[in-house]
Amino acid sequence: MTRPMVAAVIAIVFSLTSRAVLAADGANEVSFKLYREYAIVVRGSIGNVKNLNFLLDTGAVPSVLDRRIAQKLHLTGSVEKLSVFTQNLDTERVIAPDVQLGPQHVKALPVVVRDLSFAEKALGTRVDAMIGFDFLGQGPFTIDYQFKMIAFGPIDSSLVAIPYQAGPGYAVVEMKIQQQKLFLLVDTGASNLVLFAGATRDCPDAIQNVGAQTWSNMGGEIRVKQVQLREAYLGSVPWGSRNVFILDDTGSSPPAGLDGLLGTVSLTARRVGFDPEQKTLAWD
């Protein structure tokens, strides 16, 4: 399957409460705050601006810089369209210099500039950038949700692992519902499994409606249906019967080749690991 050049699929952000930060013990470990049990916020720097709040979001393709920080760094660039689920937004693409997160560093990271105040309002904390897989995928790393820590380095070989398909700045895994294959963007910035409506039309027997919710993202408020999914497999791993969410089309098509988002916390795992060298997603 040919993967598309996805402009961006941005985090679904809600209101929540924060948890305490735990100290990281090693040079390759970075502690984080966890909001509403899924949103990871960690300290980093860009250029000469230190102590920035990074929302880690592997679904942000590319990474996103808040307009305030772009202005502080005197960054300017070209205007282009950004796809946020089924909406298209005008953004500015710039080069962020010297992006640093723990031991990870990128000298020049292409990012898009947007107002991220929606995330600040939802989380109750400042969000200076959404850092995606274009930065995080330099090497293997593990997110430990129990101890609120990111470990950069080889992932534990005892974790359950499935392959993913890699593209520029994103990872995609395969889900099978009945006999239909769906391709899901792996998204640390989403709290659930989210499917685009068009992807579910051929498997109505596997979906039972539960209700509806309203979410907020960079494009504004979006309405989603809550359903229960049956007879599903993530890679070769049975998914069981779980609640997922369906995002209706709103006049624009979802990113080509993608059928939804896999929020990593929907794996209900203590640890989630990404290995760009082996192209595997792992969890326990």
Side-chain angles (χ1 to χ4, degrees):
M1 177 180 180
T2 301
R3 296 258 61 84
M5 289 295 292
V6 183
V9 182
I10 304 301
I12 302 161
V13 183
F14 304 86
S15 58
L16 30 40
T17 58
S18 64
R19 305 288 191 265
V21 178
L22 300 182
D25 295 327
N28 292 327
E29 298 175 343
V30 179
S31 58
F32 61 80
K33 287 185 178 181
L34 192 64
Y35 293 85
R36 202 170 179 177
E37 300 180 352
Y38 83 93
I40 298 167
V41 177
V42 63
R43 288 295 178 92
S45 64
I46 301 175
N48 61 359
V49 183
K50 312 299 182 183
N51 295 319
L52 296 176
N53 281 354
F54 291 168
L55 176 63
L56 298 194
D57 183 4
T58 58
V61 187
S63 295
V64 183
L65 184 63
D66 185 75
R67 186 172 291 121
R68 296 175 297 102
I69 306 303
Q71 292 171 348
K72 183 176 293 189
L73 291 166
H74 306 291
L75 302 180
T76 58
S78 58
V79 176
E80 62 180 47
K81 290 289 185 181
L82 178 76
S83 174
V84 181
F85 293 113
T86 56
Q87 303 176 60
N88 292 317
L89 306 176
D90 289 325
T91 64
E92 184 180 13
R93 182 181 288 267
V94 302
I95 303 297
D98 294 317
V99 182
Q100 186 85 38
L101 170 57
Q104 301 294 93
H105 173 261
V106 170
K107 187 173 180 61
L109 181 67
V111 299
V112 294
V113 177
R114 286 290 296 181
D115 179 3
L116 296 181
S117 61
F118 79 93
E120 179 175 344
K121 292 175 182 177
L123 296 175
T125 190
R126 192 184 72 248
V127 174
D128 300 308
M130 291 178 171
I131 299 298
F133 202 60
D134 49 0
F135 177 90
L136 294 168
Q138 300 176 69
F141 65 96
T142 302
I143 300 170
D144 190 319
Y145 287 99
Q146 180 178 3
F147 293 105
K148 300 179 181 64
M149 185 181 300
I150 303 168
F152 295 95
I155 62 177
D156 188 340
S157 60
S158 69
L159 303 184
V160 174
I162 62 172
Y164 69 72
Q165 299 181 37
Y170 59 87
V172 173
V173 294
E174 180 183 304
M175 171 171 275
K176 183 178 286 187
I177 302 176
Q178 294 179 336
Q179 298 303 310
Q180 183 178 357
K181 292 182 179 180
L182 305 181
F183 295 92
L184 309 178
L185 185 76
V186 184
D187 190 353
T188 59
S191 60
N192 296 280
L193 170 61
V194 182
L195 301 177
F196 301 132
T200 62
R201 290 179 183 137
D202 294 333
C203 50
D205 294 341
I207 294 172
Q208 179 180 354
N209 287 331
V210 174
Q213 294 185 12
T214 299
W215 293 350
S216 297
N217 73 356
M218 198 163 59
E221 290 189 345
I222 53 176
R223 190 71 172 166
V224 295
K225 297 176 183 177
Q226 184 176 357
V227 304
Q228 190 171 73
L229 189 64
R230 300 186 297 270
E231 300 180 48
Y233 284 79
L234 186 61
S236 60
V237 179
W239 186 257
S241 179
R242 305 195 193 187
N243 287 341
V244 302
F245 296 86
I246 307 295
L247 177 63
D248 286 333
D249 299 335
T250 57
S252 300
S253 299
L258 289 178
D259 299 304
L261 310 175
L262 176 68
T264 49
V265 293
S266 68
L267 297 169
T268 62
R270 181 174 69 87
R271 295 177 294 169
V272 176
F274 292 79
D275 189 336
E277 297 165 1
Q278 301 297 321
K279 294 184 175 58
T280 55
L281 173 71
W283 67 93
D284 66 358

